[in-house]
Amino acid sequence: MSKNAIVFGATSGMGKELAKLLVNDGYNVMITGRRLERLEAIKKENSDRYKVQQHDITDLKATEELFDNLSTVFESIDLMVHNAGIATPNYKLDWEKGGPTVYTNVVGATRVYQLAYNYFSAQGYGHLVGVTSVASLRGNRQVPEYHASKAYQASYLESLYMKSLRTKKAKINVTEIVPGFVDTDIIMGKTFWMASVEKATKQMYAAIKRKKRRAYITNRWRLVGAVLKVVSPKMYMKLM
């Protein structure tokens, strides 16, 4: 029997690649994003397996309607992956630049996580995956809203994991994917240890299949993560 999944933020990057891996593995996949033409292009690759839903993560009413109508698309859902997010440099702390990041990565993400968890709770099972970032571990003077918003998501996902341990009437798995630098549109400029989207997403999917609580992508970022958690602020500034 085929499994069903939703990937929020599947128009490009890891979301798009993950949707392809899921379909190749026998899943039926709903893909969402703001750019309908990109979603339709993905669907053409395997029209029987993809369901397309144009969706803006910042439109909370649209998110609620999407979840209300899920029963018309799939009888059940095994996996939901939240991958939507933005990052904008904000050197002068302008709300016009920082506000959309907060609203997308915090407000929009929170509503998806809430509705997904409640859906799985009512269904009796499910696997919720959130994509955060190594950026969640420390602050950053250039993109402060992005780093702070990913820290928020990491904490929220941990809270949902703790909640899942007390949710006796449902088996809910919660996974946090913590990417380092991956060659996607969100990366600004040249950097080190840049992984291809294909490599990063294969490791991401392997972690999902194993239902890991947290997975650094690629694996070597686990060491960086451990260092970032303990290094002093002054040393961290020198590294950055």
Side-chain angles (χ1 to χ4, degrees):
M1 182 178 179
S2 296
K3 293 184 177 182
N4 303 316
I6 301 177
V7 179
F8 290 90
T11 57
S12 63
M14 294 176 67
K16 176 181 177 181
E17 189 66 22
L18 177 63
K20 292 181 179 180
L21 292 179
L22 289 168
V23 163
N24 290 339
D25 207 18
Y27 276 82
N28 300 306
V29 183
M30 175 187 283
I31 49 177
T32 83
R34 291 177 298 172
R35 293 167 289 191
L36 181 59
E37 70 282 357
R38 292 195 179 190
L39 298 174
E40 293 289 0
I42 297 170
K43 180 178 174 63
K44 288 180 181 179
E45 298 177 8
N46 195 325
S47 59
D48 293 335
R49 290 290 188 180
Y50 286 112
K51 306 292 184 181
V52 166
Q53 178 64 55
Q54 187 177 26
H55 176 243
D56 183 346
I57 201 73
T58 65
D59 188 338
L60 303 188
K61 183 177 180 180
T63 299
E64 292 160 6
E65 290 176 349
L66 186 155
F67 275 87
D68 287 342
N69 294 325
L70 283 180
S71 61
T72 65
V73 183
F74 296 131
E75 291 185 4
S76 62
I77 299 174
D78 303 274
L79 173 68
M80 295 192 195
V81 181
H82 180 269
N83 179 65
I86 63 172
T88 304
N90 192 10
Y91 303 99
K92 296 183 179 180
L93 301 182
D94 293 326
W95 179 247
E96 290 74 16
K97 293 182 178 180
T101 299
V102 172
Y103 207 74
T104 299
N105 296 359
V106 175
V107 180
T110 300
R111 196 64 184 122
V112 169
Y113 289 143
Q114 289 176 339
L115 291 167
Y117 191 95
N118 288 337
Y119 178 95
F120 287 145
S121 183
Q123 179 176 258
Y125 67 93
H127 188 181
L128 174 60
V129 177
V131 180
T132 63
S133 171
V134 171
S136 67
L137 302 177
R138 302 297 293 255
N140 185 280
R141 65 187 183 277
Q142 298 173 335
V143 280
E145 292 83 12
Y146 178 74
H147 281 242
S149 66
K150 288 302 182 178
Y152 170 88
Q153 283 194 42
S155 179
Y156 200 86
L157 288 166
E158 183 176 42
S159 299
L160 293 181
Y161 167 72
M162 296 168 67
K163 185 176 180 65
S164 73
L165 298 179
R166 297 292 183 92
T167 305
K168 302 300 183 181
K169 295 183 179 180
K171 176 60 176 176
I172 303 174
N173 296 101
V174 179
T175 295
E176 178 192 357
I177 300 298
V178 190
F181 295 129
V182 181
D183 191 11
T184 64
D185 295 341
I186 207 167
I187 296 295
M188 294 163 283
K190 295 182 179 180
T191 187
F192 64 97
W193 281 4
M194 181 81 79
S196 68
V197 172
E198 292 76 15
K199 179 179 180 179
T201 310
K202 285 180 180 179
Q203 289 191 16
M204 176 184 181
Y205 189 36
I208 290 173
K209 289 195 288 187
R210 291 167 60 189
K211 292 183 169 61
K212 294 190 67 175
R213 167 66 193 95
R214 179 182 290 109
Y216 285 92
I217 306 299
T218 56
N219 293 326
R220 57 188 172 184
W221 281 95
R222 186 185 298 110
L223 175 61
V224 176
V227 172
L228 288 178
K229 289 179 180 179
V230 300
V231 69
S232 70
K234 288 185 178 180
M235 181 60 70
Y236 174 65
M237 285 291 290
K238 290 180 180 179
L239 294 174
M240 296 300 291

